Amino acid sequence: MITNCIITYLAMVGGFTTGLTPGADQVQILNICTQYVPTEAYVYADLYYEFYDLENIETAIKITYCESRFKKDAYRSEDDDSGLKQFIPSTWNWIAEEKNLPKFDEYVILRHGRPYTKQEVSKSSYGFEQIKAQYSPYYNLLFRSILAQDTYSKVTWRDWDSSKWCWGDSNI
């Protein structure tokens, strides 16, 4: 249900293809979805479309739901897992070093949820935030896509096997 809602939303806003009749079917599904799917799930929808291959979007959405319930500041003290996809520091830092990206617990500056570059000209302070990289949906989903699609050659989601009992469920 959750995955269908987000994919329908993506279809309506970004040209993502579903088997639904455009218009009425999509609106009807989204009306039902508002009762079951947290608003946060839609806030990050464009990042799934940007970072994941089309065939991986459904699994990526399910894992986010199972790992954090779409809470960007999710934290589990047992393993120091953080963020939407519940990264541990060693895995995060390994990817960060390989790809020259921000390390775990490193603060990043974002504007409207994306990395801010000084090349942007801005005459207002609107949309800025400073946040630890692992709690940024942008970086958390980017790192996840690197790990699943690039590092593992698009064939496995093994770092999230501990929650497969949840994301492997076709009803999500």
Side-chain angles (χ1 to χ4, degrees):
M1 171 65 133
I2 292 168
T3 321
N4 288 339
C5 291
I6 295 171
I7 289 174
T8 300
Y9 173 78
L10 284 170
M12 292 179 76
V13 299
F16 190 82
T17 305
T18 68
L20 301 170
T21 305
D25 286 350
Q26 293 174 334
V27 171
Q28 183 179 7
I29 287 176
L30 286 180
N31 286 336
I32 295 168
C33 292
T34 58
Q35 301 171 37
Y36 302 102
V37 181
T39 306
E40 296 87 5
Y42 299 107
V43 173
Y44 319 130
D46 63 322
L47 297 174
Y48 291 105
Y49 191 70
E50 181 177 343
F51 294 141
Y52 294 91
D53 293 341
L54 293 179
E55 66 270 12
N56 292 330
I57 288 177
E58 182 175 348
T59 303
I61 291 168
K62 287 180 175 186
I63 290 172
T64 305
Y65 169 77
C66 293
E67 292 287 330
S68 68
R69 297 301 192 260
F70 302 105
K71 294 178 182 135
K72 73 177 187 176
D73 58 351
Y75 177 74
R76 195 171 67 101
S77 60
E78 292 85 15
D79 294 322
D80 207 17
D81 296 355
S82 300
L84 289 170
K85 296 289 189 177
Q86 293 291 282
F87 271 94
I88 59 173
S90 59
T91 302
W92 184 280
N93 287 334
W94 171 63
I95 294 168
E97 289 173 17
E98 290 285 318
K99 302 291 184 178
N100 195 28
L101 292 166
K103 295 205 167 144
F104 197 89
D105 279 343
E106 183 178 325
Y107 280 92
V108 294
I109 297 174
L110 304 173
R111 182 149 194 237
H112 302 293
R114 298 186 173 271
Y116 174 71
T117 62
K118 293 181 183 182
Q119 297 166 343
E120 295 178 40
V121 177
S122 173
K123 294 183 180 180
S124 86
S125 61
Y126 177 72
F128 284 97
E129 71 177 317
Q130 182 177 354
I131 189 172
K132 288 185 178 182
Q134 70 270 20
Y135 294 117
S136 155
Y138 178 89
Y139 282 114
N140 205 279
L141 293 173
L142 171 63
F143 274 57
R144 173 72 194 97
S145 71
I146 290 169
L147 187 60
Q149 297 182 148
D150 297 342
T151 306
Y152 295 153
S153 302
K154 303 177 187 186
V155 295
T156 183
W157 301 81
R158 71 178 182 216
D159 277 290
W160 287 266
D161 276 350
S162 63
S163 65
K164 191 168 187 171
W165 62 270
C166 175
W167 59 265
D169 184 345
S170 61
N171 293 321
I172 293 179

